């Protein structure tokens, strides 16, 4: 598996941009029309989040979702060989720079939404070499090794979900930019907050580390537009706020962004798997 992924990634990296675009179409056709990978789950989630839309809206949105997701995956596997970081427009980047000056680490919280990988790549290419991230470890060790190697160019310190909290605390003590995607179902350990008016088990790590370490908490998003990519950063006021209040705040901020670009959210995961008792 490792060498297959490695070889495939190498081929995508060397392909001219024109053929990379053909790859987008091939992958979209296979995933959406042939394999129909998680298509039912994505439609179910869309209908749950956006009740009352007509079938045409759901069908149009899910097609756009798969096209967007395929492009993001293929670009990732090609090691962003044809990605121009100058197409990313930063809004409020000063918020991040000011937070770093506090020398206490910075927590960037977002979700599986938009072109978040391209934002991280762009930040690394523009000189932010102190990026850390927490990711899910693949069950397949060969695949896990490949993805870690692929990300190491722009994620200097990759941590894994379920790892020791001391590693995360050390990352913040080293004044790293810790990126947390806090939108997937967190099971019984999650904090239940409203997400599209539904009580949703949500990761609270970003809020917890903000409280215990005092590190600034910033919500971030990066969306693809007709003119490139728009990256936004907004500091979250956590003073005198409970963990639940903070989790609700960044979940609400993510929801507002998703409503603007529903086709750029990762609807294929089981967001509402855990029910509130």
């Amino acid at each position: 598996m490792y060498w297959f992924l490695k070889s495939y990634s190498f081929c995508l990296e060397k392909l001219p941009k024109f053929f990379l675009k053909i790859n987008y179409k091939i992958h979209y056709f296979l995933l959406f029309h042939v394999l129909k990978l998680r298509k039912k789950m994505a439609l179910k989630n869309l209908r749950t989040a956006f009740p009352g839309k007509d079938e045409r809206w759901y069908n149009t949105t899910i097609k756009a979702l798969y096209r967007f997701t395929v492009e993001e995956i293929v670009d990732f596997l090609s090691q962003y060989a044809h990605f121009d970081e100058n197409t990313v427009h930063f809004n409020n980047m000063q918020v991040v720079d000011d937070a770093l000056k506090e020398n206490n680490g910075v927590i960037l919280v977002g979700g599986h939404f938009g072109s978040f990988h391209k934002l991280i790549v762009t930040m690394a290419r523009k000189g932010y070499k102190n990026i850390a991230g927490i990711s899910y470890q693949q069950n397949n060790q060969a695949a896990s090794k490949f993805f870690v190697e692929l990300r190491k160019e722009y994620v200097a310190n990759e941590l894994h979900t379920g790892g020791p909290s001391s590693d995360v605390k050390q990352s913040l003590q080293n004044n790293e930019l810790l990126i947390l995607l806090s939108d997937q179902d967190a099971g019984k350990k999650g904090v239940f907050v409203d997400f599209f008016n539904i009580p949703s088990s949500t990761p609270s790590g970003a809020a917890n580390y903000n409280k215990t370490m005092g590190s600034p908490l910033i919500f971030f998003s990066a969306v693809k537009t007709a003119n490139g990519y728009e990256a936004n950063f907004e500091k979250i006021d956590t003073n005198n706020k409970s963990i639940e209040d903070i989790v609700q705040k960044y979940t609400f901020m993510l929801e507002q962004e998703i409503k603007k670009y529903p086709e750029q959210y990762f609807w294929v995961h089981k967001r509402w798997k855990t029910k509130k008792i």
Side-chain angles (χ1 to χ4, degrees), residues 49-202:
F50 296 94
K53 298 286 187 180
D54 58 36
E55 284 302 308
R56 182 177 180 181
W57 186 89
Y58 294 126
N59 290 330
T60 300
T61 303
I62 195 171
K63 287 179 180 178
L65 161 67
Y66 274 76
R67 289 192 180 97
F68 174 80
T69 303
V70 161
E71 285 193 24
E72 292 298 307
I73 293 173
V74 172
D75 286 350
F76 169 68
L77 291 174
S78 71
Q79 302 182 61
Y80 300 104
H82 298 289
F83 170 61
D84 181 4
E85 62 269 19
N86 294 315
T87 59
V88 179
H89 178 252
F90 286 88
N91 298 312
N92 300 326
M93 193 61 189
Q94 190 62 42
V95 171
V96 177
D97 293 334
D98 289 343
L100 282 171
K101 291 176 183 177
E102 296 183 26
N103 202 37
N104 197 28
V106 179
I107 304 167
L108 294 177
V109 62
H112 293 78
F113 168 72
S115 302
F116 63 90
H117 258 129
K118 287 175 180 170
L119 171 59
I120 300 170
V121 170
T122 300
M123 290 176 67
R125 289 180 179 178
K126 289 185 178 293
Y128 293 86
K129 302 299 184 183
N130 57 336
I131 296 175
I134 299 179
S135 62
Y136 285 94
Q137 194 162 13
Q138 302 289 322
N139 291 329
N140 187 300
Q141 291 185 354
S144 180
K145 178 184 176 183
F146 167 76
F147 290 126
V148 168
E149 287 183 0
L150 208 58
R151 285 190 289 260
K152 69 180 181 181
E153 178 185 346
Y154 47 94
V155 177
N157 183 16
E158 182 158 354
L159 309 172
H160 293 293
T161 303
S165 61
S166 58
D167 289 349
V168 179
K169 292 178 180 179
Q170 186 63 57
S171 169
L172 293 172
Q173 288 171 354
N174 291 340
N175 202 31
E176 293 181 338
L177 287 163
L178 178 65
I179 296 175
L180 299 175
L181 303 181
S182 302
D183 63 319
Q184 291 191 311
D185 187 284
K188 296 179 180 179
K189 295 181 179 179
V191 172
F192 277 90
V193 295
D194 287 341
F195 183 56
F196 287 92
N197 299 315
I198 302 168
S200 310
S201 175
T202 307

Side-chain angles (χ1 to χ4, degrees), residues 227-256:
N227 299 316
Y229 302 86
E230 291 289 325
N232 295 286
F233 303 89
E234 183 176 345
K235 188 173 182 179
I236 299 175
D237 180 7
T238 61
N239 291 326
N240 302 316
K241 299 291 194 304
S242 67
I243 295 296
E244 184 174 311
D245 288 339
I246 297 170
V247 176
Q248 181 64 80
K249 178 61 176 178
Y250 59 68
T251 301
F252 176 75
M253 295 171 81
L254 175 62
E255 179 183 323
Q256 295 304 107

